[in-house]
Amino acid sequence: APSRTVDPGGRTTAAVLGGLLVIFAGLAAVVFRDEQPPPGGSTLRRCVETARLASTASLSLLYALALGGVAALAVLLPVYLSSVFGLSWFDALAVTMVLVAVAAAGRLLGGWWTDRRPTTGLLVVCYTVAALLCLVLAAIPGRWWLTVPAIAAIGACDGLASGALLALIGKA
């Protein structure tokens, strides 16, 4: 990949990205201001009160599990595809892009579902299907024709679950 020759260790890229994120955070702090003080005390106090709610804590844990699956998919899948199946880096990234897009579409659909239907059944199905597919992949590794569709389905399940949970957390 061309980026390896420009920045072999990746330190410059990480520093530039970190700097851009700090600039974005500062810009957001200046531009996005509340016109009136929040009701019921400081923002920190409201965050602590929200974290103490048992329902919010369990929803947040489930959300972290679902979103963690999507993040792991995006970060680790290209390395897995290139090392196990011998795909070029570009091809592995292209497959990962499609699978992350499937997860993103699932996230939108999960939020839509939560606004219109009960969410518990959707979460049970999503986590059950994802767990079963993970077991299948662990039992039968190294089959391209099975691995990519299974990972796509896991990504869709994680996307559906994270979208549904994000909508529920917003309602809490």
Side-chain angles (χ1 to χ4, degrees):
S3 62
R4 291 183 186 167
T5 58
V6 174
D7 186 19
R11 293 180 190 265
T12 305
T13 304
V16 168
L17 181 59
L20 289 173
L21 288 172
V22 168
I23 291 169
F24 178 75
L27 183 63
V30 170
V31 173
F32 302 120
R33 289 282 189 190
D34 290 333
E35 294 181 16
Q36 298 175 349
S42 71
T43 303
L44 179 62
R45 182 176 180 184
R46 288 187 301 139
C47 287
V48 169
E49 289 171 0
T50 303
R52 287 184 180 166
L53 293 172
S55 63
T56 305
S58 61
L59 288 175
S60 297
L61 180 63
L62 289 172
Y63 178 72
L65 180 65
L67 188 63
V70 174
L73 176 79
V75 173
L76 301 174
L77 187 61
V79 175
Y80 176 76
L81 292 174
S82 64
S83 64
V84 172
F85 297 112
L87 271 82
S88 70
W89 193 242
F90 180 80
D91 291 340
L93 288 174
V95 171
T96 301
M97 176 193 66
V98 171
L99 298 185
V100 169
V102 167
R107 188 173 177 150
L108 293 172
L109 187 60
W112 174 85
W113 180 281
T114 299
D115 289 341
R116 289 162 180 75
R117 294 184 173 87
T119 306
T120 307
L122 176 67
L123 294 176
V124 168
V125 168
C126 286
Y127 285 122
T128 303
V129 168
L132 291 174
L133 287 171
C134 286
L135 291 173
V136 167
L137 289 175
I140 311 171
R143 308 256 194 284
W144 171 257
W145 56 268
L146 176 66
T147 300
V148 172
I151 292 174
I154 292 168
C157 288
D158 283 348
L160 280 166
S162 67
L165 289 164
L166 187 59
L168 279 179
I169 291 169
K171 292 178 182 180

